[in-house]
Amino acid sequence: MTALDLAGPVAVVGTGTMGQGIAQVALLAGHLVRLYDTAPGRAREAAGAIGARIGRLVEKNRLTAADGDAARARLLPAEHLTDLADCTLVVEAVLEELGAKQELFRALEDIVGEDCLLATNTSSLSVTAVGGALRNPGRLVGLHFFNPAPLLPLVEVVSGYVTDVSSATRAYETARAWGKTPVACADTPGFIVNRIARPFYAEAFAVYEAQGADPATIDAVLRECGGFRMGAFELTDLIGQDVNESVTHSVWRSFFHDVRFTPSLAQRRLVESGRLGRKSGQGWYDYREGAEPAEPHTAEPRPAPAYVVAEGDLGPASELLALIREAGVQVREDEEDHGTRLVLPGGGQLTLADGQTSVEFRDVVYFDLAFDYRKATRIALSASQDTSAQTLSEAIGLFQALGKDVSVIGDVPGMIVARTVARIVDLAHDAVAKGVATEEDIDTAMRLGVNYPLGPFEWSRRLGRTWACSLLDDLHERDPSGRYAPSLALYRHSYATEKREGAS
């Protein structure tokens, strides 16, 4: 079986924001849609809200008046669950509570036909567990839309342990027929996006908890240097601290308290204090009327060094050499040295973040990984208490000469962007090795689901296949808790590459 016949009615159970969004998507794809909610009158109210949104699409000329009228006419509030008997697909978007979902699907099994596809929009529960209470769990599949469903293209199509291949294929083709970009994944905690995205939040919070930098500075570095659409602190304020922490705890518990997914104590305190983000007026930031916006730490202007000595090609930061020359700073090359660093006039060194700390070396300043060093508007530098004032000043002045704002953070191994990207790459390799999804689907999911500038495997290819493993090895040496230990999948990937390169 492939996509649903457009003549077949679709039911959406649950009329919250997500349920309304899914109903709108199905409507505009041409389906008759039945909308049901257990609360009396709620389905009719939701139908009115959906109709109003469709009306606004017509006003903005994104939909013709005739198509808008036809879509509204196909939307039918259902008074009883039995009104869904003729539906070919039922999508559930109710409370994230296993018992409630199981009870709903058990009731639906006695109402809908045997060829009706059942789908749960759960984001944190096991699809296998939801279907475990059914007589025929093979027809239950996860259809995880992202909010707002009418706008975001990604849909994770999740196969439970006993989901029939035909059911998963049917769901996948239906999502594609609805104009979405489906990705197929196995039923594991967090699916693709919520599993692989955990380090984006966790590493930002870890840098903050280590007093490496304040939220505004970390967010600015992630945006202006890392190329991410939003920083971790502002994004969790938008999502809701309670919601984000709940997902983190769900993934952590589901992986039997795996240290790689450990929740943040700082975020826990934020939730306990009722500072849930934008919806409560305060979170990491203050959104109350009259509150001063938080500003990132930005270094005062410093003079640029007259020259730098390049030892090696700087690896993933090799683009900097051209930028330095364009800024009028002389680049002297040490052809006999095979390192990957810059030596400043005072003798101090400037090195790309590698998972080590500045305090371990004599007069070293680290700089963070950037998505695009030419386009980046901010660079983070890391120095220890032993770094000379001259070396830090020269490093700041060099990047300022390139037109960058400079944020100096604490002596944090792996800094901000580098450690975040390395951990995302690692979790992605681990997911592929465990059959969660393909490399292509993971890259697609992370670009479309959370707006990453690159997918994890695109990052890996750009940075070099051994880069993430090497950085995480260094981090693991400094924090042997297991949080930064490279996965076996990443280790094999890196080691096989090194063997091939050595043989050539």
Short mmCIF file of all heavy atoms in Angstrom, two decimals, residues 196-217:
data_model
loop_
_atom_site.label_atom_id
_atom_site.label_comp_id
_atom_site.label_asym_id
_atom_site.label_seq_id
_atom_site.Cartn_x
_atom_site.Cartn_y
_atom_site.Cartn_z
N ILE A 196 19.48 13.22 18.97
CA ILE A 196 20.76 13.78 18.53
C ILE A 196 20.92 15.24 18.92
O ILE A 196 22.05 15.75 19.01
CB ILE A 196 20.92 13.55 17.01
CG1 ILE A 196 20.98 12.03 16.75
CG2 ILE A 196 22.15 14.24 16.44
CD1 ILE A 196 21.00 11.65 15.30
N ALA A 197 19.82 15.93 19.19
CA ALA A 197 19.90 17.35 19.56
C ALA A 197 20.26 17.58 21.02
O ALA A 197 20.54 18.71 21.41
CB ALA A 197 18.57 18.05 19.27
N ARG A 198 20.29 16.54 21.85
CA ARG A 198 20.52 16.76 23.28
C ARG A 198 21.81 17.53 23.57
O ARG A 198 21.85 18.40 24.44
CB ARG A 198 20.56 15.45 24.07
CG ARG A 198 19.33 14.58 24.18
CD ARG A 198 17.98 15.14 23.91
NE ARG A 198 17.55 16.27 24.73
CZ ARG A 198 16.59 17.10 24.37
NH1 ARG A 198 15.97 16.95 23.21
NH2 ARG A 198 16.23 18.09 25.14
N PRO A 199 22.94 17.25 22.88
CA PRO A 199 24.17 17.99 23.21
C PRO A 199 24.09 19.48 22.92
O PRO A 199 24.82 20.26 23.55
CB PRO A 199 25.23 17.34 22.31
CG PRO A 199 24.70 15.98 22.00
CD PRO A 199 23.22 16.15 21.93
N PHE A 200 23.22 19.89 22.00
CA PHE A 200 23.11 21.32 21.72
C PHE A 200 22.72 22.08 22.98
O PHE A 200 23.25 23.16 23.26
CB PHE A 200 22.08 21.56 20.61
CG PHE A 200 21.90 23.02 20.26
CD1 PHE A 200 22.88 23.69 19.54
CD2 PHE A 200 20.78 23.73 20.67
CE1 PHE A 200 22.74 25.04 19.22
CE2 PHE A 200 20.63 25.07 20.36
CZ PHE A 200 21.61 25.72 19.64
N TYR A 201 21.81 21.51 23.75
CA TYR A 201 21.41 22.13 25.02
C TYR A 201 22.41 21.79 26.12
O TYR A 201 22.84 22.66 26.87
CB TYR A 201 20.01 21.63 25.41
CG TYR A 201 19.00 21.68 24.31
CD1 TYR A 201 18.52 20.52 23.71
CD2 TYR A 201 18.53 22.90 23.82
CE1 TYR A 201 17.60 20.57 22.68
CE2 TYR A 201 17.61 22.96 22.79
CZ TYR A 201 17.14 21.78 22.22
OH TYR A 201 16.24 21.83 21.20
N ALA A 202 22.77 20.50 26.20
CA ALA A 202 23.56 20.03 27.33
C ALA A 202 24.93 20.69 27.41
O ALA A 202 25.39 21.05 28.50
CB ALA A 202 23.73 18.51 27.24
N GLU A 203 25.59 20.87 26.27
CA GLU A 203 26.93 21.46 26.32
C GLU A 203 26.88 22.95 26.64
O GLU A 203 27.76 23.48 27.33
CB GLU A 203 27.67 21.20 25.01
CG GLU A 203 27.98 19.73 24.79
CD GLU A 203 28.60 19.07 26.01
OE1 GLU A 203 29.61 19.59 26.54
OE2 GLU A 203 28.07 18.04 26.47
N ALA A 204 25.87 23.65 26.14
CA ALA A 204 25.71 25.06 26.50
C ALA A 204 25.51 25.20 28.01
O ALA A 204 26.12 26.04 28.68
CB ALA A 204 24.54 25.67 25.74
N PHE A 205 24.63 24.33 28.56
CA PHE A 205 24.39 24.38 30.00
C PHE A 205 25.64 24.00 30.78
O PHE A 205 25.91 24.56 31.85
CB PHE A 205 23.24 23.44 30.37
CG PHE A 205 21.91 23.79 29.74
CD1 PHE A 205 20.90 22.85 29.67
CD2 PHE A 205 21.67 25.05 29.21
CE1 PHE A 205 19.67 23.15 29.09
CE2 PHE A 205 20.46 25.37 28.62
CZ PHE A 205 19.45 24.41 28.56
N ALA A 206 26.42 23.05 30.27
CA ALA A 206 27.64 22.62 30.97
C ALA A 206 28.66 23.75 31.01
O ALA A 206 29.34 23.94 32.03
CB ALA A 206 28.23 21.40 30.28
N VAL A 207 28.81 24.49 29.92
CA VAL A 207 29.73 25.63 29.90
C VAL A 207 29.29 26.68 30.92
O VAL A 207 30.10 27.24 31.66
CB VAL A 207 29.82 26.25 28.49
CG1 VAL A 207 30.64 27.55 28.51
CG2 VAL A 207 30.46 25.26 27.52
N TYR A 208 27.99 26.90 31.00
CA TYR A 208 27.44 27.86 31.97
C TYR A 208 27.68 27.38 33.39
O TYR A 208 28.12 28.14 34.26
CB TYR A 208 25.95 28.04 31.70
CG TYR A 208 25.21 28.78 32.79
CD1 TYR A 208 25.34 30.15 32.94
CD2 TYR A 208 24.37 28.09 33.67
CE1 TYR A 208 24.65 30.83 33.96
CE2 TYR A 208 23.69 28.75 34.67
CZ TYR A 208 23.83 30.12 34.81
OH TYR A 208 23.17 30.78 35.80
N GLU A 209 27.41 26.08 33.65
CA GLU A 209 27.57 25.54 35.00
C GLU A 209 29.03 25.57 35.45
O GLU A 209 29.33 25.69 36.64
CB GLU A 209 27.03 24.11 35.06
CG GLU A 209 25.50 24.06 34.97
CD GLU A 209 24.97 22.65 34.91
OE1 GLU A 209 25.74 21.73 34.54
OE2 GLU A 209 23.78 22.45 35.21
N ALA A 210 29.95 25.49 34.48
CA ALA A 210 31.38 25.57 34.79
C ALA A 210 31.85 27.02 34.90
O ALA A 210 33.06 27.26 35.06
CB ALA A 210 32.19 24.84 33.71
N GLN A 211 30.91 27.96 34.79
CA GLN A 211 31.20 29.39 34.85
C GLN A 211 32.16 29.82 33.74
O GLN A 211 32.94 30.75 33.90
CB GLN A 211 31.76 29.78 36.23
CG GLN A 211 30.78 29.49 37.37
CD GLN A 211 31.25 30.02 38.70
OE1 GLN A 211 31.60 31.18 38.83
NE2 GLN A 211 31.26 29.14 39.70
N GLY A 212 32.03 29.12 32.60
CA GLY A 212 32.85 29.47 31.45
C GLY A 212 32.36 30.71 30.74
O GLY A 212 33.15 31.48 30.17
N ALA A 213 31.04 30.93 30.75
CA ALA A 213 30.45 32.10 30.11
C ALA A 213 29.00 32.21 30.54
O ALA A 213 28.41 31.25 31.04
CB ALA A 213 30.55 31.99 28.58
N ASP A 214 28.42 33.38 30.35
CA ASP A 214 27.03 33.63 30.69
C ASP A 214 26.13 33.23 29.53
O ASP A 214 26.59 33.05 28.39
CB ASP A 214 26.82 35.10 31.03
CG ASP A 214 27.18 35.99 29.87
OD1 ASP A 214 28.39 36.30 29.71
OD2 ASP A 214 26.29 36.36 29.09
N PRO A 215 24.81 33.05 29.75
CA PRO A 215 23.91 32.61 28.69
C PRO A 215 23.95 33.49 27.44
O PRO A 215 23.95 32.96 26.32
CB PRO A 215 22.53 32.64 29.36
CG PRO A 215 22.81 32.35 30.80
CD PRO A 215 24.11 33.06 31.07
N ALA A 216 23.96 34.80 27.60
CA ALA A 216 23.94 35.68 26.43
C ALA A 216 25.18 35.49 25.57
O ALA A 216 25.10 35.52 24.33
CB ALA A 216 23.81 37.13 26.87
N THR A 217 26.32 35.30 26.20
CA THR A 217 27.56 35.10 25.45
C THR A 217 27.55 33.75 24.74
O THR A 217 27.92 33.63 23.57
CB THR A 217 28.78 35.22 26.37
OG1 THR A 217 28.81 36.53 26.94
CG2 THR A 217 30.07 34.96 25.62
#
